[in-house]
Amino acid sequence: MFEKKLEDEATTHPFVKFLWHIDSMGQRTTIIPKNATDRGLFLFMTIGIPFAVVWLGGVVLPYYHTEVNGTVIFHITAATFIFYNIFHNLLLVIRIDASGRTSFLPSVLKPGWGYCSICQVNYPPRSYHCHICDECILKRDHHCKFTGCCIGYHNHRYFLMGVIYIFIGALYGIYYQWDYVYSTINLPIVYFFLTLIAPHFSLMFGGINLWGVVVATLHNLGLVTLIMAGYILTIQVRAICRGQTQYEMKHNIRDYNITLNQNIIDIMGRRWKIAWLTPAVESPLKGDGCKFLKTNEYEPPKDI
Ligand SMILES: [Zn+2]
Ligand SMILES: [Zn+2]
């Protein structure tokens, strides 16, 4: 039942191990990932996202506008809203404990449950052990290398919304700075696109200067972010439509597909229609991460 992903298992730095525990509120005491690869990607993300905001607000926006007007206020408000949502959602992904440690896990093995010899606990259906997090995760979806933690029953909502807002932010940023990129590179259309593909060659042949390389590279980083977030979102949407976790998708397990509405509630909580606005909106989940309705057990609500 366990995934045999043992890579990087023993790379947890002793200091990170010392920091890493759960407080009385059931939240992680540190945001630093346990694993070396995860720490690199986490650093890239935590520097990259605020840098993008500073770049767009401090370089691109003053290029378009020399004085504050309604358009400037609109862009600043929209960017603040998107950045806040990315930051708060990802913080909650990391801080909320996705494991079963704070749940009551029975000492008797129930039907459909498994036993984890590493954690020495009985784990419920849809839960699996993560060898990087070194614990069993309730309704485990996958291990996210950018946040350095597993996505499971308790933090899936924040992961999904974090990725959606990164996608929106990348799309918005690329669209907003397009004119700036085009006028900075300032080449005929074919050479412009060739420069975006290989800015260093364009520099060697005198097509652009060093600033042009910086602008083209930042545009490309935005594009990579957009493609990656779009790819993750496509997988997530496909899984939500089928009521599956990533493990269940790989193994074609379709036992928990109810209706699209119920599948969304399973992740986003009962107040999903407004929960997307901000992670501060409370949206309680239906269960405890241990018991799940199966497709054949679902009875649609009857009209009275
Ligand atoms: Zn375990
Ligand atoms: Zn994990």
Side-chain angles (χ1 to χ4, degrees):
M1 291 289 269
F2 299 126
E3 289 180 53
K4 293 184 177 58
K5 283 180 85 177
L6 294 168
E7 87 244 40
D8 306 324
E9 191 184 351
T11 56
T12 306
H13 191 278
F15 183 64
V16 177
K17 242 180 191 168
F18 166 74
L19 291 172
W20 188 283
H21 59 273
I22 304 298
D23 65 17
S24 56
M25 301 293 286
Q27 296 204 336
R28 271 168 48 176
T29 49
T30 177
I31 59 166
I32 305 169
K34 280 181 175 178
N35 169 280
T37 317
D38 293 6
R39 279 199 289 276
L41 290 170
F42 174 74
L43 195 67
F44 178 74
M45 185 180 71
T46 45
I47 292 173
I49 293 172
F51 179 82
V53 176
V54 172
W55 166 260
L56 291 168
V59 178
V60 182
L61 188 132
Y63 173 80
Y64 294 138
H65 305 280
T66 49
E67 58 187 46
V68 177
N69 54 27
T71 313
V72 172
I73 291 168
F74 169 79
H75 285 304
I76 290 174
T77 309
T80 307
F81 176 74
I82 294 167
F83 180 67
Y84 155 72
N85 262 293
I86 294 172
F87 174 77
H88 198 176
N89 275 301
L90 294 184
L91 185 69
L92 290 175
V93 167
I94 296 168
R95 289 212 66 205
I96 289 176
D97 180 28
S99 77
R101 274 178 304 198
T102 47
S103 303
F104 174 72
L105 297 177
S107 51
V108 180
L109 196 62
K110 293 183 179 183
W113 286 49
Y115 177 73
C116 175
S117 56
I118 303 166
C119 303
Q120 298 188 329
V121 292
N122 295 321
Y123 62 82
R126 312 185 86 182
S127 298
Y128 296 97
H129 186 88
C130 173
H131 285 281
I132 299 174
C133 297
D134 197 25
E135 56 195 7
C136 280
I137 307 296
L138 295 181
K139 197 192 171 203
R140 182 170 185 264
D141 193 71
H142 69 285
H143 182 89
C144 170
K145 289 197 157 291
F146 284 92
T147 53
C149 60
C150 264
I151 309 305
Y153 184 73
H154 289 297
N155 62 356
H156 203 154
R157 164 193 167 184
Y158 306 109
F159 172 78
L160 183 66
M161 291 317 301
V163 175
I164 288 174
Y165 278 105
I166 288 175
F167 182 82
I168 293 170
L171 194 65
Y172 187 86
I174 289 170
Y175 178 75
Y176 184 67
Q177 70 170 5
W178 184 254
D179 282 347
Y180 176 74
V181 175
Y182 193 72
S183 57
T184 303
I185 291 175
N186 195 23
L187 288 170
I189 193 78
V190 176
Y191 292 108
F192 168 75
F193 282 108
L194 287 174
T195 297
L196 286 184
I197 294 166
H200 53 297
F201 277 124
S202 195
L203 177 72
M204 276 163 56
F205 292 110
I208 52 171
N209 58 18
L210 212 53
W211 185 245
V213 177
V214 172
V215 171
T217 306
L218 290 176
H219 165 80
N220 290 345
L221 282 173
L223 199 60
V224 169
T225 307
L226 181 74
I227 292 167
M228 277 175 59
Y231 173 70
I232 296 168
L233 264 185
T234 309
I235 295 172
Q236 287 291 318
V237 168
R238 197 166 155 236
I240 292 167
C241 291
R242 296 173 174 197
Q244 292 172 311
T245 62
Q246 303 300 302
Y247 179 90
E248 290 159 359
M249 269 179 95
K250 276 182 207 145
H251 295 83
N252 203 23
I253 299 167
R254 292 171 176 242
D255 295 351
Y256 302 97
N257 186 17
I258 311 292
T259 60
L260 180 61
N261 192 48
Q262 289 298 319
N263 295 349
I264 294 171
I265 292 172
D266 265 353
I267 291 172
M268 294 295 294
R270 294 175 198 274
R271 299 174 73 202
W272 67 271
K273 285 178 185 164
I274 54 165
W276 61 270
L277 264 174
T278 152
V281 171
E282 282 195 31
S283 182
L285 292 163
K286 280 194 305 184
D288 57 1
C290 295
K291 188 164 175 7
F292 299 94
L293 207 61
K294 288 199 167 183
T295 311
N296 55 9
E297 295 166 345
Y298 176 69
E299 285 180 24
K302 294 182 180 73
D303 292 332
I304 300 167

